[in-house]
Amino acid sequence: MEPRKGEASQVAELRQKVRDLKERIREIERRFELATRAATDGLWDWDLRTGVVYYSDRFLALLGISRAEITQDFSGFRERLHPDDRERVLSEIHQHLSQQTPFDAVYRIRTRRGDYRWFRARGDSECDRTGKPVRMAGSIADLTERREAEREARASQQAYRALFRTIDYGIAITDIEGRFLDANPAYLRLVGREFGELRKLRYHDLTPDRYRPLDARAVQSMVASDYADPYEKEYVRPNGDVIPVELRCWLTRDSDGSPEEIFSIVRDISSEKQSREKIHNLAYYDFVTGLPNRQLFHAHLQYSIDKARADGDLLALFFIDLDRFKQVNDTLGHNAGDILLQEAGQRFAGALRGTDRVFRSG
Protein backbone atom coordinates (compact mmCIF):
# COMPACT_ATOMS: atom_id res chain seq x y z
CA MET A 1 0.00 0.00 0.00
CA GLU A 2 1.50 3.27 -1.10
CA PRO A 3 1.77 6.02 1.53
CA ARG A 4 -0.31 9.04 0.91
CA LYS A 5 1.30 12.11 -0.49
CA GLY A 6 1.38 13.92 2.83
CA GLU A 7 2.64 10.85 4.64
CA ALA A 8 5.36 10.33 2.03
CA SER A 9 6.59 13.84 2.58
CA GLN A 10 6.74 13.29 6.31
CA VAL A 11 8.62 9.99 5.85
CA ALA A 12 11.13 11.64 3.52
CA GLU A 13 11.62 14.46 6.00
CA LEU A 14 12.07 11.96 8.83
CA ARG A 15 14.61 9.95 6.82
CA GLN A 16 16.57 13.13 6.09
CA LYS A 17 16.61 13.99 9.78
CA VAL A 18 17.91 10.50 10.56
CA ARG A 19 20.63 10.87 7.92
CA ASP A 20 21.55 14.31 9.31
CA LEU A 21 21.64 12.91 12.85
CA LYS A 22 23.87 10.01 11.79
CA GLU A 23 26.22 12.41 10.03
CA ARG A 24 26.39 14.58 13.14
CA ILE A 25 27.16 11.47 15.22
CA ARG A 26 29.88 10.44 12.76
CA GLU A 27 31.32 13.98 12.87
CA ILE A 28 31.36 13.92 16.67
CA GLU A 29 33.02 10.49 16.59
CA ARG A 30 35.66 11.76 14.12
CA ARG A 31 36.34 14.78 16.33
CA PHE A 32 36.57 12.57 19.41
CA GLU A 33 38.92 10.18 17.63
CA LEU A 34 41.11 13.06 16.45
CA ALA A 35 41.15 14.59 19.94
CA THR A 36 41.98 11.21 21.42
CA ARG A 37 44.95 10.72 19.08
CA ALA A 38 46.23 14.26 19.66
CA ALA A 39 45.87 14.17 23.44
CA THR A 40 49.08 13.88 25.42
CA ASP A 41 47.15 12.22 28.27
CA GLY A 42 45.81 8.71 28.08
CA LEU A 43 42.02 8.40 28.13
CA TRP A 44 39.89 5.62 29.64
CA ASP A 45 36.16 4.93 29.70
CA TRP A 46 34.70 2.29 32.02
CA ASP A 47 31.16 1.05 31.38
CA LEU A 48 30.02 -0.02 34.85
CA ARG A 49 27.01 -1.93 33.47
CA THR A 50 29.04 -4.23 31.20
CA GLY A 51 32.40 -3.99 32.95
CA VAL A 52 34.13 -3.15 29.67
CA VAL A 53 36.95 -0.58 29.81
CA TYR A 54 38.05 1.37 26.76
CA TYR A 55 41.69 2.53 26.67
CA SER A 56 42.80 5.13 24.14
CA ASP A 57 45.83 4.55 21.94
CA ARG A 58 47.70 7.15 23.96
CA PHE A 59 46.89 5.30 27.19
CA LEU A 60 48.38 2.12 25.74
CA ALA A 61 51.40 3.99 24.36
CA LEU A 62 52.17 5.44 27.79
CA LEU A 63 52.45 1.88 29.11
CA GLY A 64 54.20 0.61 26.00
CA ILE A 65 51.64 -2.12 25.44
CA SER A 66 49.27 -3.17 22.67
CA ARG A 67 45.51 -3.48 23.02
CA ALA A 68 45.85 -7.27 23.10
CA GLU A 69 48.11 -7.11 26.18
CA ILE A 70 45.45 -5.77 28.54
CA THR A 71 42.05 -7.29 29.19
CA GLN A 72 39.09 -5.10 28.35
CA ASP A 73 37.69 -5.29 31.86
CA PHE A 74 38.70 -3.57 35.08
CA SER A 75 40.94 -6.46 36.16
CA GLY A 76 43.42 -5.53 33.41
CA PHE A 77 43.94 -2.16 35.05
CA ARG A 78 43.85 -3.49 38.62
CA GLU A 79 46.56 -6.09 37.96
CA ARG A 80 48.95 -3.43 36.63
CA LEU A 81 48.69 -1.23 39.71
CA HIS A 82 51.73 -1.25 42.00
CA PRO A 83 51.02 -3.55 44.98
CA ASP A 84 51.73 -0.70 47.41
CA ASP A 85 49.20 1.56 45.64
CA ARG A 86 46.48 -0.93 44.74
CA GLU A 87 44.38 -0.90 47.90
CA ARG A 88 44.47 2.90 48.16
CA VAL A 89 43.47 3.47 44.52
CA LEU A 90 40.60 0.97 44.65
CA SER A 91 39.38 2.64 47.84
CA GLU A 92 39.46 6.07 46.19
CA ILE A 93 37.51 4.75 43.18
CA HIS A 94 34.91 3.18 45.45
CA GLN A 95 34.62 6.40 47.45
CA HIS A 96 34.11 8.40 44.28
CA LEU A 97 31.39 6.09 42.96
CA SER A 98 29.54 5.87 46.29
CA GLN A 99 29.85 9.49 47.39
CA GLN A 100 30.54 11.31 44.10
CA THR A 101 33.67 12.88 45.56
CA PRO A 102 36.32 14.16 43.12
CA PHE A 103 38.60 11.44 41.79
CA ASP A 104 42.20 12.62 41.55
CA ALA A 105 44.86 10.04 42.38
CA VAL A 106 48.60 9.54 41.89
CA TYR A 107 49.88 5.97 41.60
CA ARG A 108 52.26 3.65 39.79
CA ILE A 109 51.38 1.38 36.86
CA ARG A 110 53.48 -1.48 35.47
CA THR A 111 54.70 -0.98 31.90
CA ARG A 112 55.55 -3.56 29.27
CA ARG A 113 59.19 -3.63 30.47
CA GLY A 114 58.07 -4.58 33.96
CA ASP A 115 59.06 -1.32 35.61
CA TYR A 116 56.61 1.06 37.23
CA ARG A 117 55.95 4.64 36.18
CA TRP A 118 54.10 7.35 38.10
CA PHE A 119 50.77 8.60 36.74
CA ARG A 120 48.13 11.06 37.83
CA ALA A 121 44.56 9.98 37.09
CA ARG A 122 41.54 12.24 37.08
CA GLY A 123 38.02 11.06 36.46
CA ASP A 124 34.31 11.59 36.81
CA SER A 125 31.26 9.39 36.67
CA GLU A 126 27.77 9.47 35.17
CA CYS A 127 24.67 8.21 36.95
CA ASP A 128 21.30 6.98 35.70
CA ARG A 129 17.95 8.40 36.76
CA THR A 130 18.07 6.49 40.04
CA GLY A 131 21.46 7.96 40.96
CA LYS A 132 23.35 4.73 40.31
CA PRO A 133 26.74 5.21 38.60
CA VAL A 134 26.72 3.68 35.14
CA ARG A 135 29.95 5.05 33.63
CA MET A 136 33.28 6.40 34.82
CA ALA A 137 35.79 8.07 32.51
CA GLY A 138 38.92 10.14 32.79
CA SER A 139 42.55 10.56 31.86
CA ILE A 140 46.05 9.67 33.03
CA ALA A 141 49.19 11.79 32.72
CA ASP A 142 52.73 10.45 33.08
CA LEU A 143 54.41 12.14 36.06
CA THR A 144 57.58 10.04 36.17
CA GLU A 145 60.00 12.62 34.75
CA ARG A 146 58.32 15.40 36.69
CA ARG A 147 58.54 13.50 39.97
CA GLU A 148 62.16 12.63 39.26
CA ALA A 149 62.92 16.27 38.50
CA GLU A 150 61.14 17.29 41.71
CA ARG A 151 63.11 14.67 43.66
CA GLU A 152 66.38 15.95 42.19
CA ALA A 153 65.32 19.52 42.89
CA ARG A 154 64.55 18.64 46.51
CA ALA A 155 67.89 16.85 46.84
CA SER A 156 69.69 19.82 45.30
CA GLN A 157 67.82 22.21 47.57
CA GLN A 158 68.69 20.12 50.62
CA ALA A 159 72.33 20.01 49.56
CA TYR A 160 72.28 23.77 48.98
CA ARG A 161 70.72 24.42 52.38
CA ALA A 162 73.27 22.15 54.06
CA LEU A 163 76.10 23.94 52.28
CA PHE A 164 74.48 27.30 53.03
CA ARG A 165 74.36 26.50 56.75
CA THR A 166 77.77 24.85 57.18
CA ILE A 167 80.16 26.58 54.76
CA ASP A 168 82.85 28.70 56.41
CA TYR A 169 82.35 31.60 53.99
CA GLY A 170 79.64 34.14 54.65
CA ILE A 171 76.75 34.15 52.17
CA ALA A 172 74.27 37.00 51.96
CA ILE A 173 71.28 37.34 49.62
CA THR A 174 69.86 40.81 49.07
CA ASP A 175 67.53 42.45 46.60
CA ILE A 176 68.81 45.03 44.13
CA GLU A 177 68.16 47.79 46.70
CA GLY A 178 70.40 46.10 49.27
CA ARG A 179 67.66 44.75 51.56
CA PHE A 180 68.62 41.45 53.18
CA LEU A 181 66.60 38.41 52.11
CA ASP A 182 68.75 35.69 53.68
CA ALA A 183 72.14 35.15 55.31
CA ASN A 184 73.92 32.04 56.50
CA PRO A 185 75.32 31.53 60.03
CA ALA A 186 78.89 32.27 58.89
CA TYR A 187 77.81 35.67 57.57
CA LEU A 188 75.95 36.48 60.80
CA ARG A 189 79.05 35.60 62.81
CA LEU A 190 81.16 37.72 60.48
CA VAL A 191 79.06 40.87 60.90
CA GLY A 192 78.24 40.16 64.56
CA ARG A 193 74.47 40.42 64.16
CA GLU A 194 71.27 38.37 64.24
CA PHE A 195 69.28 38.04 61.04
CA GLY A 196 66.40 39.98 62.57
CA GLU A 197 68.74 42.97 62.84
CA LEU A 198 69.86 42.62 59.22
CA ARG A 199 66.27 42.72 57.97
CA LYS A 200 66.09 46.31 59.26
CA LEU A 201 69.31 47.35 57.50
CA ARG A 202 70.62 47.83 53.98
CA TYR A 203 73.80 46.25 52.72
CA HIS A 204 75.79 49.49 52.88
CA ASP A 205 74.82 50.03 56.54
CA LEU A 206 77.47 47.49 57.54
CA THR A 207 80.23 49.32 55.70
CA PRO A 208 82.11 52.60 56.37
CA ASP A 209 80.84 55.38 54.11
CA ARG A 210 84.08 55.52 52.12
CA TYR A 211 83.24 52.12 50.58
CA ARG A 212 79.80 53.11 49.23
CA PRO A 213 81.16 54.18 45.81
CA LEU A 214 82.89 50.80 45.56
CA ASP A 215 79.64 48.96 46.33
CA ALA A 216 77.77 51.15 43.83
CA ARG A 217 80.25 50.28 41.06
CA ALA A 218 79.86 46.59 41.88
CA VAL A 219 76.06 46.85 41.51
CA GLN A 220 76.43 48.69 38.20
CA SER A 221 78.75 45.95 36.95
CA MET A 222 76.27 43.24 37.95
CA VAL A 223 73.36 45.02 36.27
CA ALA A 224 75.45 45.15 33.09
CA SER A 225 77.01 41.67 33.15
CA ASP A 226 75.44 39.75 36.10
CA TYR A 227 78.83 39.64 37.83
CA ALA A 228 81.23 41.92 39.70
CA ASP A 229 84.97 41.41 39.96
CA PRO A 230 86.12 40.44 43.48
CA TYR A 231 86.87 43.44 45.65
CA GLU A 232 87.89 44.20 49.23
CA LYS A 233 86.29 46.42 51.84
CA GLU A 234 85.58 46.42 55.57
CA TYR A 235 82.64 45.58 57.84
CA VAL A 236 82.10 47.31 61.16
CA ARG A 237 80.57 45.20 63.92
CA PRO A 238 78.24 46.72 66.53
CA ASN A 239 81.11 46.59 69.07
CA GLY A 240 83.30 48.68 66.76
CA ASP A 241 85.54 45.89 65.47
CA VAL A 242 86.62 46.43 61.87
CA ILE A 243 86.77 43.28 59.73
CA PRO A 244 88.49 43.33 56.32
CA VAL A 245 86.65 41.12 53.81
CA GLU A 246 86.76 40.05 50.17
CA LEU A 247 83.48 39.88 48.23
CA ARG A 248 82.44 37.93 45.16
CA CYS A 249 78.98 38.93 43.92
CA TRP A 250 76.63 37.98 41.12
CA LEU A 251 73.10 38.85 40.10
CA THR A 252 70.09 36.64 39.35
CA ARG A 253 67.17 37.77 37.19
CA ASP A 254 63.48 36.94 37.06
CA SER A 255 61.67 35.41 34.08
CA ASP A 256 61.37 38.86 32.47
CA GLY A 257 65.12 39.47 32.73
CA SER A 258 64.79 42.13 35.43
CA PRO A 259 67.36 42.15 38.29
CA GLU A 260 66.06 40.06 41.16
CA GLU A 261 68.62 39.02 43.81
CA ILE A 262 72.28 39.63 44.58
CA PHE A 263 74.29 36.72 45.96
CA SER A 264 77.45 37.70 47.86
CA ILE A 265 80.12 35.30 49.09
CA VAL A 266 82.13 37.08 51.77
CA ARG A 267 85.50 35.94 53.06
CA ASP A 268 87.22 37.22 56.19
CA ILE A 269 90.73 38.21 55.09
CA SER A 270 91.98 39.52 58.45
CA SER A 271 94.75 36.90 58.71
CA GLU A 272 95.59 37.21 55.04
CA LYS A 273 95.81 40.97 55.27
CA GLN A 274 98.01 40.75 58.35
CA SER A 275 100.28 38.35 56.47
CA ARG A 276 100.45 40.70 53.51
CA GLU A 277 101.28 43.60 55.79
CA LYS A 278 103.94 41.53 57.54
CA ILE A 279 105.53 40.57 54.21
CA HIS A 280 105.38 44.20 53.11
CA ASN A 281 107.00 45.37 56.34
CA LEU A 282 109.75 42.77 56.06
CA ALA A 283 110.44 43.90 52.50
CA TYR A 284 110.37 47.67 53.03
CA TYR A 285 110.99 48.37 56.73
CA ASP A 286 113.90 47.78 59.05
CA PHE A 287 113.20 45.03 61.55
CA VAL A 288 114.99 46.73 64.48
CA THR A 289 113.91 50.35 64.21
CA GLY A 290 110.72 50.07 62.19
CA LEU A 291 112.05 52.78 59.85
CA PRO A 292 111.76 52.48 56.05
CA ASN A 293 114.76 50.53 54.70
CA ARG A 294 117.21 51.09 51.85
CA GLN A 295 114.82 49.66 49.20
CA LEU A 296 112.02 52.04 50.13
CA PHE A 297 114.58 54.87 50.42
CA HIS A 298 115.64 54.51 46.77
CA ALA A 299 112.02 54.49 45.59
CA HIS A 300 111.12 57.55 47.66
CA LEU A 301 114.30 59.38 46.66
CA GLN A 302 113.56 59.03 42.97
CA TYR A 303 109.99 60.23 43.52
CA SER A 304 111.21 63.22 45.55
CA ILE A 305 113.79 64.16 42.89
CA ASP A 306 111.17 64.02 40.13
CA LYS A 307 108.69 66.06 42.17
CA ALA A 308 111.29 68.69 43.10
CA ARG A 309 112.24 69.11 39.43
CA ALA A 310 108.61 69.42 38.40
CA ASP A 311 107.80 71.96 41.12
CA GLY A 312 111.12 73.85 40.88
CA ASP A 313 111.88 73.12 44.54
CA LEU A 314 115.15 72.27 46.28
CA LEU A 315 115.80 68.84 47.77
CA ALA A 316 118.14 68.13 50.72
CA LEU A 317 119.58 64.74 51.59
CA PHE A 318 121.44 64.03 54.85
CA PHE A 319 123.45 60.93 55.68
CA ILE A 320 123.86 60.57 59.44
CA ASP A 321 126.22 58.10 61.07
CA LEU A 322 126.41 57.14 64.76
CA ASP A 323 129.99 57.42 66.00
CA ARG A 324 131.47 54.56 68.01
CA PHE A 325 128.30 52.44 67.54
CA LYS A 326 130.46 49.32 67.22
CA GLN A 327 131.88 49.95 70.70
CA VAL A 328 128.34 49.93 72.13
CA ASN A 329 127.67 46.53 70.54
CA ASP A 330 131.05 45.15 71.67
CA THR A 331 130.89 46.38 75.27
CA LEU A 332 127.15 46.41 76.10
CA GLY A 333 125.86 43.80 73.66
CA HIS A 334 123.67 43.81 70.60
CA ASN A 335 120.45 44.37 72.60
CA ALA A 336 121.84 47.69 73.83
CA GLY A 337 122.89 48.54 70.27
CA ASP A 338 119.35 47.84 69.03
CA ILE A 339 117.86 50.06 71.74
CA LEU A 340 120.26 52.84 70.75
CA LEU A 341 119.23 52.56 67.09
CA GLN A 342 115.53 52.58 68.01
CA GLU A 343 115.92 55.66 70.22
CA ALA A 344 117.97 57.49 67.59
CA GLY A 345 115.41 56.66 64.90
CA GLN A 346 112.52 57.94 67.03
CA ARG A 347 114.35 61.16 67.84
CA PHE A 348 115.23 61.84 64.21
CA ALA A 349 111.67 61.13 63.09
CA GLY A 350 110.27 63.34 65.81
CA ALA A 351 112.49 66.26 64.79
CA LEU A 352 111.37 66.28 61.12
CA ARG A 353 108.52 68.06 59.38
CA GLY A 354 105.53 66.09 58.17
CA THR A 355 106.82 66.16 54.60
CA ASP A 356 110.29 64.86 55.54
CA ARG A 357 111.34 61.24 55.86
CA VAL A 358 113.99 59.33 57.76
CA PHE A 359 115.32 55.94 56.61
CA ARG A 360 117.79 53.37 57.89
CA SER A 361 120.26 52.55 55.17
CA GLY A 362 122.15 49.74 56.93
Side-chain angles (χ1 to χ4, degrees):
M1 180 178 178
E2 292 292 332
R4 298 176 182 177
K5 184 176 182 181
E7 292 177 347
S9 175
Q10 291 178 354
V11 169
E13 183 179 351
L14 181 60
R15 287 176 177 174
Q16 184 60 44
K17 288 182 177 180
V18 169
R19 285 194 294 269
D20 292 344
L21 181 60
K22 287 182 177 179
E23 181 58 31
R24 287 182 61 188
I25 292 174
R26 283 194 293 269
E27 179 63 22
I28 293 173
E29 289 176 343
R30 286 194 295 269
R31 289 178 180 176
F32 175 76
E33 182 63 25
L34 181 60
T36 300
R37 291 200 306 268
T40 57
D41 294 352
L43 305 180
W44 49 273
D45 186 353
W46 181 18
D47 190 331
L48 299 175
R49 294 165 297 190
T50 64
V52 174
V53 183
Y54 165 79
Y55 302 104
S56 70
D57 292 340
R58 180 58 180 166
F59 184 106
L60 302 175
L62 288 173
L63 301 185
I65 60 176
S66 66
R67 199 169 296 279
E69 293 178 88
I70 184 170
T71 59
Q72 298 302 300
D73 57 19
F74 186 71
S75 64
F77 168 76
R78 183 176 59 241
E79 290 172 358
R80 288 187 172 273
L81 285 172
H82 192 286
D84 294 342
D85 300 335
R86 186 174 298 146
E87 183 176 348
R88 172 178 57 83
V89 173
L90 297 179
S91 174
E92 291 180 9
I93 292 175
H94 175 74
Q95 184 178 9
H96 167 72
L97 293 176
S98 61
Q99 302 178 19
Q100 291 299 295
T101 56
F103 179 71
D104 188 341
V106 175
Y107 50 78
R108 287 159 289 183
I109 306 179
R110 189 179 73 253
T111 69
R112 185 177 196 174
R113 297 181 302 180
D115 62 334
Y116 287 88
R117 295 184 67 84
W118 285 96
F119 292 90
R120 181 179 186 180
R122 294 175 177 175
D124 203 354
S125 57
E126 179 185 2
C127 299
D128 60 15
R129 294 180 179 179
T130 66
K132 180 181 178 180
V134 294
R135 168 169 288 173
M136 184 175 178
S139 64
I140 63 169
D142 193 335
L143 299 182
T144 307
E145 281 73 19
R146 176 181 171 182
R147 287 178 66 93
E148 182 63 21
E150 290 174 347
R151 185 193 67 78
E152 292 178 357
R154 286 193 299 270
S156 297
Q157 187 177 36
Q158 291 170 357
Y160 166 75
R161 295 306 302 180
L163 180 65
F164 186 79
R165 290 191 301 268
T166 60
I167 192 172
D168 291 335
Y169 292 162
I171 301 176
I173 304 174
T174 66
D175 62 17
I176 195 66
E177 302 297 331
R179 289 180 287 262
F180 284 92
L181 304 176
D182 204 354
N184 72 337
Y187 187 86
L188 299 177
R189 291 193 298 269
L190 186 61
V191 299
R193 298 175 184 271
E194 298 293 333
F195 185 66
E197 298 178 69
L198 291 184
R199 292 300 299 265
K200 303 174 184 178
L201 303 175
R202 298 290 182 98
Y203 197 63
H204 55 69
D205 292 331
L206 307 177
T207 301
D209 289 344
R210 66 180 181 276
Y211 290 106
R212 289 198 179 191
L214 195 61
D215 286 336
R217 286 197 295 272
V219 172
Q220 290 174 357
S221 176
M222 284 184 281
V223 171
S225 62
D226 296 342
Y227 182 73
D229 291 332
Y231 66 102
E232 296 181 7
K233 67 174 186 176
E234 295 174 335
Y235 283 155
V236 180
R237 291 174 176 168
N239 63 4
D241 289 346
V242 177
I243 310 299
V245 296
E246 179 193 68
L247 292 93
R248 296 175 181 268
C249 308
W250 67 95
L251 178 73
T252 64
R253 299 179 183 271
D254 60 21
S255 57
D256 297 328
S258 300
E260 187 173 36
E261 297 176 343
I262 294 177
F263 282 72
S264 301
I265 296 181
V266 186
R267 184 168 63 93
D268 185 344
I269 58 171
S270 299
S271 299
E272 181 179 318
K273 195 167 184 179
Q274 291 172 1
S275 297
R276 290 203 302 258
E277 291 175 354
K278 184 176 181 179
I279 293 172
H280 180 269
N281 287 337
L282 289 174
Y284 294 103
Y285 289 85
D286 177 60
F287 178 74
V288 175
T289 64
L291 296 174
N293 61 15
R294 181 190 296 270
Q295 186 171 351
L296 197 56
F297 164 72
H298 286 295
H300 186 76
L301 177 62
Q302 187 59 55
Y303 167 78
S304 299
I305 292 173
D306 293 341
K307 188 174 186 307
R309 285 174 177 171
D311 297 341
D313 292 335
L314 297 176
L315 176 67
L317 174 65
F318 294 90
F319 181 80
I320 302 173
D321 193 14
L322 297 180
D323 293 338
R324 295 184 295 278
F325 177 71
K326 185 175 183 304
Q327 294 180 10
V328 175
N329 275 337
D330 292 343
T331 58
L332 300 178
H334 288 283
N335 287 339
D338 289 347
I339 293 174
L340 176 59
L341 290 173
Q342 293 168 4
E343 182 65 25
Q346 291 175 6
R347 292 190 182 189
F348 285 132
L352 298 177
R353 299 172 304 178
T355 57
D356 298 331
R357 297 288 183 271
V358 59
F359 301 84
R360 184 184 178 192
S361 62

